[in-house]
């Protein structure tokens, strides 16, 4: 269904709204059919809704494809919801059960045929399921990877120990040179600035401005470091789609996603950049990260600056607790 | 004259009884006063070190120039200086001396013993609170028949908990023996730290037992007049003691997670209040009170459901239907604020140690939180389902049943968002097809902002279901009914829109502001609960009744829903206990005493789930035994039913 676009930035709400509209339309159609004396029996209505949501909408409408584990969760919850709906009142429950009871009772030729067919097909289906379960698979095994392993309380970089709970980015400063997250938050990139920032007149907002100084100048320096070292993997849009990205499994982190740096304290990112994949703790099993320990290539100042650039460019704010 | 004399004698007897009970109450509360005094004085006997008077003498000597004799230590949490009067935490090794063992994993044995004790402990602490509420409701009820019914119900509740109380004590003993046998070094250290309050705990337990027995066995003797109020006061005392008992027990686990009052070596610094009042103590206390209540309600409701399903007569069915409804309502009343208390606890965990919070919510244990979210969802969905089924036993309830499908949609969508994992399980092929670890659509559901929206939508819908239930067989007749209905509808609509808007807005603001957004979200939900429910009741006052509640005429599905609710509570308690405990990773006492046993690793999710399921099964089998015991002494004495609500009591308190 590529003709109907999922609009970036609104996709989660769009999905829920589309589902709501679909369910509403089905309700209206069924209501109209009922008025005309041709209403869909509850049993088939329930099965239809479940099939629509799980076998059609979630499988073919949402792109990129949703992994099976999540679809299984959604399918189970949807089935529970449908059960609650069809058995909400005794009358509806009786209506829902009727086709099943009819088949079990097998009082007509058709129901007798269905019952016989089910008696044959169900064991075959179960046999097929069991056969498939035992069939050797050549797929790579599933890895339950911990994306954000817990950081240590402190980390030592270039001989200095940093307490991750309390350390702060020394370049996140206001014009007076004091640490000021609110100031930097007010000067991150925004949609209306345009990609080349031609229209941005305020040097406090534009890192390419020759008069830029303080926080925004450090952002530019961070950007230079990023494009010299990081963008090959993390991409020039910081979305994890760099030139080399697809040589790796898993592909590098997508900083534009709301679930990566936007969820983390700046010091967490500092620790990860400094120590790289090899410095992941035991919890980070199976250590599926090829990121080098950047402390071997960058200075502490450079690491802080590049982190600041990442937040600036994605428009996210680092997590804080105050 | 003779009558006057008799009255005076009766009055004196009453006065004597009241005085005696007051003295008894004071004596029972004595341990608590003692504990408060001891805590206020900063400790009593120091842990693992010399007595307080010796320390005081040492201090005095120090003032005279010999201060070097008392080594000072710095509190790991409060950062205050204090005399290091306790022994350091033992540095253990993996051998039989520190970790004696059977040919089995000691940790699992301790886990099972602990969990079973906790289940029963929670139950026996929660039920007296219910009894207090129900007994009070009966006493203030103007309807004599209803008052009698409530009183009988409270009695039924406490009777169930009495057998469970003995089991709690037995399991507590087993737990201590398990600790002493399998983890002697660790238990020795912990008891040395908590020595000033250990005996207070034991005394409080004695006071709890004594009060409970007086409360139970004095039910008939104190059923009229002033004595009834004395009886109710006993339940208040019982609950105060029970709460203190739980707070003390909580302080041990809070100390293990977020130690305070000791220095880096684990030496006690002489301030027992610091040891008790750790970073996570209060959030744990609040969370456990609410959790116990919800759990207790669930277990009693399951008991009623079990009795309903096995009932032979309509009268029995009616009684147990009503009992199940009351117990479930009480449980759910405490379930609603539980997620907010949990949120506060997690916030404090993050504030205490960031890595602990990340291990829980984003790292190693994150998948267990998804299972927890699923269980929470099951609890709320089941509650709604029960209420919808309950509409069926009221004339007029069918008016609302046709709208159930819309509530189902909101609940299902809310739950889907709430349980979407942040770390998705997928094959490498799926990972490549998705183009990275984060899904551009579902990834947004995996973070807190969306999840807050999801759970608040679910809770608000549950409140709406409850309001429908209240209206089931009644129609408001107040002059402002139309305005009230419109206002209520708008209130819910605005509440949901506000919730969804804030959930979306949370993506565009810094994390510290986003965390604050949960306040208006919660406020919206609680407003729906705390304002709309009384408004609804005000509208229904003197309303037109469409028919009586046909107690007992509810589909069996509803009772299975109650049993599922109780099982989900039990499973979730086991799960959360495991999560809370395993977040310490390889520490007995976080960052102070390392766990060097061979079991200092985190279990796989599958193994943990199996042990939790075993615990749940064991608890339910044993509680079935308790239920069965409860039925042995039952005598069936009919109680007149109130008009319009034919709910009999299967047994009377009289004669027990």
């Amino acid at each position: 269904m590529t003709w109907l676009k999922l609009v970036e930035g609104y996709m989660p709400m769009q999905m829920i709204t589309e589902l709501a509209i679909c369910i509403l339309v089905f309700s209206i159609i069924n209501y109209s059919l009922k008025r005309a004396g041709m209403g869909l029996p509850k049993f088939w209505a329930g099965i239809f809704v479940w099939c629509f949501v799980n076998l059609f909408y979630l499988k073919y409408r949402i792109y990129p494809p949703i992994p099976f584990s999540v679809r299984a969760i959604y399918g189970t919850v949807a089935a529970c919801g449908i059960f609650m709906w069809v058995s909400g009142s005794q009358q509806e429950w009786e209506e829902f059960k009727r086709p099943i009871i009819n088949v079990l009772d097998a009082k007509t030729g058709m129901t007798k045929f269905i019952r016989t067919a089910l008696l044959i097909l169900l064991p075959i289906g179960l046999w097929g399921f069991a056969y498939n379960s035992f069939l050797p698979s050549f797929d790579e095994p599933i890895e339950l990877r911990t994306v954000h392993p817990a950081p240590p309380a402190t980390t030592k970089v270039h001989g200095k120990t940093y307490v991750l709970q309390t350390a702060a980015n020394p370049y996140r400063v206001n014009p007076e040179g004091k640490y000021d997250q609110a100031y930097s938050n007010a000067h991150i990139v925004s949609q209306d600035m345009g990609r080349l920032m031609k229209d941005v007149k305020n040097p406090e907002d534009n890192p390419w401005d020759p008069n830029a100084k303080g926080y925004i100048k450090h952002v530019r320096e961070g950007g230079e470091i990023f494009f010299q070292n990081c963008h090959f993997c993390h991409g020039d849009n910081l979305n994890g789609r760099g030139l080399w990205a697809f040589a790796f499994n898993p592909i590098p982190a997508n900083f534009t996603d709301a679930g990566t740096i936007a969820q983390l304290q700046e010091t967490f990112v500092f620790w990860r950049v400094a120590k790289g994949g090899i410095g992941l703790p035991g919890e980070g099993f199976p250590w599926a990260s090829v990121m080098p320990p950047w402390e071997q290539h960058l200075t502490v100042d450079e690491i802080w600056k590049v982190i600041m650039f990442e937040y600036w460019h994605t428009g996210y704010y680092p997590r804080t607790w105050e | 004259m003779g009558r006057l004399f008799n009255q005076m004698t009766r009055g004196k007897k009453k006065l004597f009884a009241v005085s005696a009970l007051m003295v008894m109450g004071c004596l029972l509360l004595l341990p608590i006063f003692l504990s408060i005094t001891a805590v206020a004085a900063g400790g009593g006997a120091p842990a693992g070190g010399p007595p307080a008077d010796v320390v005081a003498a040492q201090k005095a000597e120090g003032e005279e120039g010999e201060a070097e004799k008392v080594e000072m230590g710095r509190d790991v949490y409060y950062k205050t200086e204090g005399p290091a009067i306790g022994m350091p935490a033992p540095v253990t090794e993996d051998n039989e001396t520190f970790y004696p063992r059977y040919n089995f994993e000691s940790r699992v044995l301790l886990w099972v013993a602990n969990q079973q004790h906790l289940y029963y402990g929670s139950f026996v602490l929660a039920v007296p609170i219910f009894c207090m509420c129900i007994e009070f409701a009966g006493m203030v009820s103007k309807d004599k028949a209803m008052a009698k019914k409530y009183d009988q119900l409270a009695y039924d509740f406490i009777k169930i908990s009495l057998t469970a109380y003995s089991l709690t004590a037995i399991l507590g003993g087993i737990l201590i023996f398990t600790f002493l046998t399998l983890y002697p070094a660790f238990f020795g250290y912990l008891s040395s730290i908590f020595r000033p309050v250990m005996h207070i705990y034991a005394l409080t337990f004695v006071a709890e037992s004594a009060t409970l027995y007086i409360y139970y066995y004095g039910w008939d003797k104190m059923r009229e007049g002033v004595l009834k109020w004395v009886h109710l006061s006993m339940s208040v005392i019982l609950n105060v003691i029970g709460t203190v008992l739980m707070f003390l027990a909580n302080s041990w686990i809070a100390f293990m997670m977020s130690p305070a009052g000791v220095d880096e070596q684990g030496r006690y610094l002489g301030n027992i209040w610091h040891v008790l009042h750790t970073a996570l103590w209060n959030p744990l206390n609040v969370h456990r009170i609410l959790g116990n209540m919800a759990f207790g309600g669930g277990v009693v409701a399951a008991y009623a459901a079990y009795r309903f399903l096995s009932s032979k007569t309509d009268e029995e069915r009616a009684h147990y239907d009503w009992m199940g409804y009351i117990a479930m309502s009480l449980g759910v009343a405490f379930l609603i604020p539980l997620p907010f208390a949990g949120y506060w606890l997690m916030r404090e965990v993050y504030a205490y140690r960031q890595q602990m919070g990340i291990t829980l919510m984003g790292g190693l244990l994150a998948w267990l939180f998804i299972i927890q979210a699923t269980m929470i969802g099951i609890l709320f969905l089941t509650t709604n389902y029960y209420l919808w089924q309950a509409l069926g036993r009221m004339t007029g309830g069918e008016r609302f049943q046709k709208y159930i499908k819309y509530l189902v949609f909101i609940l299902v969508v809310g739950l889907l968002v709430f349980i979407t994992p942040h770390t998705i399980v997928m094959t490498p092929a799926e990972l490549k097809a998705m183009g990275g670890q984060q899904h551009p659509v579902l990834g947004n559901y995996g973070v807190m902002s969306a999840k807050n929206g999801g759970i608040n939508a679910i809770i608000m819908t549950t409140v709406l279901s409850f309001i429908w239930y209240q209206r089931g067989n009644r129609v408001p007749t107040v002059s402002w009914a139309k305005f009230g209905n419109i206002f209520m509808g708008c209130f819910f609509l605005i509440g949901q829109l506000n919730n969804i808007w804030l959930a979306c807005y949370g993506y565009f603001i810094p994390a510290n502001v986003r965390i604050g957004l949960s306040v208006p979200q919660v406020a919206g939900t609680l407003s729906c609960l705390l304002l709309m429910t009384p408004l609804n009741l005000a509208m229904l006052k003197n309303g037109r009744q469409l028919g009586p509640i046909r107690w007992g005429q509810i589909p069996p599905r509803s009772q299975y829903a109650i049993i599922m609710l109780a099982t989900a509570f039990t499973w979730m308690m086991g799960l959360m206990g495991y999560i809370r405990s395993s977040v310490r990773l390889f520490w007995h006492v976080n960052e102070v005493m390392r766990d060097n046993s061979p079991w200092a690793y985190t279990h796989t999710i599958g193994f943990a789930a199996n042990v939790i399921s075993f615990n749940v099964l064991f608890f339910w089998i044993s509680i079935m035994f308790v239920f069965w015991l409860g039925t042995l002494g039952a005598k069936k004495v009919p109680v007149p039913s109130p008009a319009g609500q034919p709910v009999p009591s299967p047994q009377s308190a009289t004669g027990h």
Side-chain angles (χ1 to χ4, degrees):
Chain A
M1 284 179 68
T2 46
W3 53 270
L4 188 57
K5 297 281 179 208
L6 283 162
V7 186
E8 196 155 352
Y10 300 92
M11 287 188 281
M13 281 314 291
Q14 191 183 346
M15 180 180 143
I16 293 173
T17 313
E18 282 180 10
L19 273 172
I21 291 169
C22 289
I23 300 289
L24 197 67
V25 168
F26 295 154
S27 299
I28 292 167
I29 292 171
N30 202 28
Y31 178 75
S32 311
L33 287 171
K34 257 187 192 166
R35 294 279 297 233
M38 298 184 294
L40 200 60
K42 205 100 201 158
F43 179 78
W44 293 112
I47 287 182
F48 172 76
V49 171
W50 189 87
C51 291
F52 170 80
V53 172
N54 294 284
L55 303 182
F56 174 72
Y57 189 87
L58 293 176
K59 194 163 184 184
Y60 296 108
R61 168 72 183 119
I62 303 299
Y63 188 84
I66 302 174
F68 175 75
S69 68
V70 180
R71 274 196 292 120
I73 294 172
Y74 285 5
T76 310
V77 172
C80 291
I82 287 166
F83 170 76
M84 288 169 73
W85 161 44
V86 298
S87 64
S89 68
Q90 190 59 23
Q91 189 195 343
E92 284 178 315
W93 179 234
E94 296 294 338
E95 192 190 331
F96 177 80
K97 280 193 309 185
R98 201 171 301 134
I100 303 168
I101 303 284
N102 286 347
V103 168
L104 290 175
D105 285 348
K107 284 182 180 161
T108 63
M110 175 59 91
T111 50
K112 206 173 267 182
F113 170 75
I114 295 171
R115 189 174 72 171
T116 312
L118 281 175
L119 275 172
I120 296 164
L121 290 174
L122 275 177
I124 293 174
L126 284 171
W127 171 81
F129 177 75
Y131 178 80
N132 269 332
S133 307
F134 283 98
L135 208 59
S137 165
F138 299 99
D139 294 333
E140 291 173 74
I142 290 173
E143 286 172 358
L144 192 58
R145 183 168 169 256
T146 304
V147 182
H148 295 148
T154 59
T155 187
K156 200 170 184 179
V157 181
H158 289 295
K160 193 179 168 191
T161 301
Y162 294 86
V163 179
L164 266 60
Q165 188 102 344
T166 53
N169 191 332
Y171 296 100
R172 197 172 283 285
V173 290
N174 59 20
E176 285 85 49
K178 287 185 182 159
Y179 179 83
D180 190 345
Q181 173 126 13
Y183 173 82
S184 61
N185 285 350
H187 292 87
I188 57 167
V189 74
S190 61
Q191 294 283 334
D192 60 333
M193 287 180 178
R195 288 182 66 82
L196 297 175
M197 304 203 166
K198 280 179 183 168
D199 303 327
V200 180
K201 302 285 182 245
N202 186 0
E204 284 185 353
D205 283 330
N206 188 353
W208 317 125
D209 192 305
N211 298 320
K213 52 189 176 191
Y215 160 74
I216 207 73
K217 179 170 154 278
H218 300 315
V219 165
R220 184 177 67 213
E221 288 163 4
E224 285 164 9
I225 299 158
F226 182 89
F227 285 103
Q228 284 162 10
N229 299 280
C230 315
H231 93 285
F232 303 105
C233 299
H234 290 288
D236 49 6
N237 269 332
L238 283 72
N239 57 0
R241 308 287 198 276
L243 284 172
W244 301 343
F246 288 96
F248 305 126
N249 182 14
I251 68 164
N254 171 5
F255 300 144
T256 61
D257 186 277
T260 58
I261 59 170
Q263 296 297 319
L264 302 168
Q265 247 187 314
E266 214 168 4
T267 49
F268 183 102
V269 185
F270 175 78
W271 163 66
R272 291 292 298 112
V273 172
K275 301 297 171 187
I278 206 162
L280 277 168
E283 192 190 331
F285 175 85
W287 305 284
S289 166
V290 291
M291 190 163 85
W294 284 102
E295 62 180 341
Q296 294 174 10
H297 308 279
L298 300 176
T299 64
V300 169
D301 292 344
E302 286 171 332
I303 295 175
W304 282 125
K305 283 177 185 170
V306 80
I307 292 167
M308 211 159 59
F309 168 76
E310 285 165 6
Y311 279 105
W312 175 84
H313 193 283
T314 53
Y316 289 131
Y317 314 101
R319 183 182 279 272
T320 53
W321 300 107
E322 284 150 18
Chain B
M1 191 68 186
R3 193 183 291 170
L4 188 68
F5 177 75
N6 278 345
Q7 276 179 349
M8 279 175 67
T9 318
R10 228 177 289 150
K12 272 184 186 171
K13 271 186 181 172
K14 270 189 180 174
L15 191 69
F16 175 73
V18 172
S19 315
L21 277 165
M22 281 173 72
V23 171
M24 220 180 287
C26 291
L27 283 173
L28 290 171
L29 284 171
L30 196 62
I32 299 169
F33 292 128
L34 284 175
S35 69
I36 292 165
T37 325
V39 165
D53 50 347
V54 178
V55 178
Q58 282 176 343
K59 271 185 180 173
E61 281 171 25
E63 282 167 14
E64 288 165 20
E66 295 177 23
E68 68 279 0
K69 280 188 180 172
V70 182
E71 199 184 332
M72 299 299 279
R74 190 173 152 83
D75 194 315
V76 287
Y77 177 66
Y78 284 103
K79 309 295 177 200
T80 51
E81 297 279 327
I85 50 180
M87 300 296 284
V91 180
T92 57
E93 286 169 25
D94 178 15
N95 58 38
E96 292 275 342
T97 314
F98 290 110
Y99 300 104
R101 63 199 75 167
Y102 305 112
N103 195 16
F104 194 77
E105 188 180 328
S106 299
R107 179 172 46 163
V108 172
L109 293 175
L110 191 67
W111 182 355
V112 173
N114 214 336
Q115 189 62 62
Q116 293 305 322
H117 177 58
L118 202 76
Y119 278 146
Y120 276 93
S122 304
F123 181 61
V124 298
L125 287 175
V127 172
I129 301 179
F130 292 160
C131 287
M132 184 178 72
C133 300
I134 297 169
E135 195 182 0
F136 179 73
M139 285 173 72
V140 295
S141 174
K142 285 172 189 160
D143 183 340
K144 283 275 164 63
M146 278 308 284
K148 182 99 179 153
K149 260 175 54 185
Y150 277 125
D151 196 64
Q152 181 64 47
L153 187 68
Y155 183 79
D156 283 352
F157 275 22
I158 204 75
K159 199 172 67 172
I160 300 167
S161 88
L162 207 69
T163 319
Y165 193 76
S166 313
L167 260 172
T168 311
I170 294 167
L171 288 165
I174 291 174
L175 176 63
I176 288 183
F177 288 133
T178 315
F179 262 122
L180 288 171
T181 318
L182 303 176
Y183 288 88
F186 164 65
F187 191 68
Y189 172 67
L190 206 62
S191 34
S192 79
I193 296 286
F194 283 93
R195 190 184 299 165
V197 286
M198 275 284 186
H199 281 94
I200 293 170
Y201 179 79
L203 283 172
T204 318
F205 197 77
V206 173
E208 165 96 359
S209 310
T211 322
L212 178 65
Y213 287 119
I214 295 169
Y215 181 63
Y216 175 72
Y217 289 109
W219 203 288
D220 290 336
K221 294 278 179 204
M222 294 188 269
R223 66 173 182 272
E224 297 291 343
V226 182
L227 283 176
K228 188 65 184 165
W229 284 101
V230 174
H231 189 254
L232 183 69
S233 315
M234 294 293 292
S235 74
V236 177
I237 295 170
L238 179 67
N239 287 312
V240 169
I241 298 171
T243 308
V244 171
L245 198 72
M246 190 189 67
F247 283 5
L248 285 173
N250 287 350
S251 67
W252 307 336
I253 54 160
F255 176 81
M256 286 164 71
M257 284 178 83
S258 56
V262 293
D263 66 4
E264 277 186 345
Q265 295 174 49
R267 294 178 303 182
Y268 175 64
L269 300 178
N271 189 334
I272 190 66
W273 177 243
H274 280 185
V275 172
L276 293 173
H277 188 233
T278 55
L280 302 179
W281 189 44
N282 278 330
L284 272 170
N285 286 337
V286 172
H287 198 255
R288 273 203 162 164
I289 288 178
L290 295 173
N292 287 353
M293 298 291 287
F295 171 72
V299 174
V300 177
Y303 166 76
Y306 157 74
R307 296 296 300 268
F308 176 95
L309 291 169
S310 58
S311 291
K312 300 278 188 295
T313 64
D314 288 345
E315 280 197 334
E316 273 188 339
R317 258 189 291 278
H319 176 73
Y320 288 112
D321 183 11
W322 181 68
M323 184 180 182
Y325 167 71
I326 298 282
M328 205 216 60
S329 305
L330 284 167
V332 171
F334 290 94
L335 170 69
I336 287 174
L338 198 56
F340 310 131
Y343 191 82
W344 179 40
L345 174 61
M346 286 316 301
R347 199 184 149 133
E348 293 303 314
V349 167
Y350 265 98
Y352 171 69
R353 283 289 181 278
Q354 181 188 212
Q355 67 265 44
M356 205 179 243
I358 293 177
T359 301
L360 283 167
M361 305 286 289
L364 193 64
L365 304 170
W367 255 94
L368 295 173
F369 264 86
I370 291 300
I371 301 174
Q372 183 232 11
T374 311
M375 302 310 283
I376 293 174
I378 289 173
L379 292 178
F380 279 107
L381 258 62
T382 315
T383 306
N384 278 280
Y385 187 70
Y386 174 81
L387 290 172
W388 301 337
Q389 295 300 317
L391 280 170
R393 68 181 166 209
M394 288 188 261
T395 310
E398 64 283 349
R399 286 173 298 154
F400 299 101
Q401 283 182 325
K402 58 186 169 194
Y403 300 113
I404 284 173
K405 52 180 168 285
Y406 303 111
L407 297 197
V408 168
F409 182 78
I410 300 173
L411 287 171
V412 166
V413 169
L415 182 60
L416 288 181
V417 172
F418 193 52
I419 65 174
T420 300
H422 181 53
T423 308
I424 297 174
V425 175
M426 54 191 153
T427 62
E430 285 175 324
L431 179 73
K432 277 175 198 156
M434 213 169 84
Q437 195 79 40
Q438 279 77 31
H439 193 283
V441 183
L442 307 182
N444 291 290
Y445 298 147
V447 294
M448 215 59 218
S449 195
K451 291 191 186 303
N452 277 345
I455 190 65
N456 277 293
I458 291 174
I459 298 176
M460 241 183 270
T461 310
T462 308
V463 175
L464 186 61
S465 287
F466 184 65
I467 283 177
W468 283 4
Y469 177 80
Q470 285 181 324
R471 288 187 172 209
N473 63 338
R474 283 188 284 176
V475 178
T477 49
V478 286
S479 57
W480 46 277
K482 194 175 176 185
F483 170 76
N485 283 338
I486 293 169
F487 178 75
M488 207 180 261
C490 291
F491 201 94
F492 271 100
L493 186 68
I494 292 168
Q496 286 285 19
L497 290 176
N498 171 59
N499 175 41
I500 295 167
W501 152 245
L502 290 174
C504 298
Y505 181 58
Y507 289 96
F508 303 98
I509 50 173
N512 56 337
V513 185
R514 182 166 64 238
I515 289 169
L517 280 189
S518 61
V519 176
Q521 274 178 316
V522 169
T525 306
L526 289 182
S527 303
C528 286
L529 176 68
L530 302 175
L531 298 179
M532 292 303 104
T533 315
L535 178 69
N536 193 41
L537 287 175
M539 286 171 72
L540 292 172
K541 201 175 178 188
N542 303 321
R544 184 162 56 91
Q545 207 164 31
L546 300 171
I549 301 174
R550 299 183 297 269
W551 292 105
Q553 291 180 31
I554 189 168
R557 291 192 304 281
S558 63
Q559 304 303 305
Y560 291 117
I562 287 183
I563 292 171
M564 188 171 166
L565 186 88
T567 314
F569 268 133
T570 323
W571 213 92
M572 197 166 76
M573 254 179 92
L575 176 78
M576 295 317 288
Y578 168 70
I579 293 175
R580 186 201 48 70
S581 186
S582 56
V583 74
R584 283 179 285 113
L585 302 174
F586 44 82
W587 296 100
H588 285 310
V589 178
N590 194 36
E591 296 167 15
V592 168
M593 183 182 176
R594 201 182 162 106
D595 181 356
N596 285 317
S597 71
W599 309 288
Y601 61 89
T602 305
H603 278 300
T604 59
I605 294 170
F607 184 87
N610 283 340
V611 178
I612 295 163
S613 300
F614 171 79
N615 272 324
V616 171
L617 201 64
F618 191 90
F619 171 74
W620 279 104
I621 290 170
S622 58
I623 200 88
M624 290 290 272
F625 173 70
V626 171
F627 289 168
W628 174 74
L629 281 180
T631 61
L632 285 183
K635 289 179 186 174
K636 287 174 185 168
V637 178
V639 172
S641 305
Q645 295 181 338
V647 185
S649 293
Q651 63 221 28
S652 163
T654 315
H656 288 281

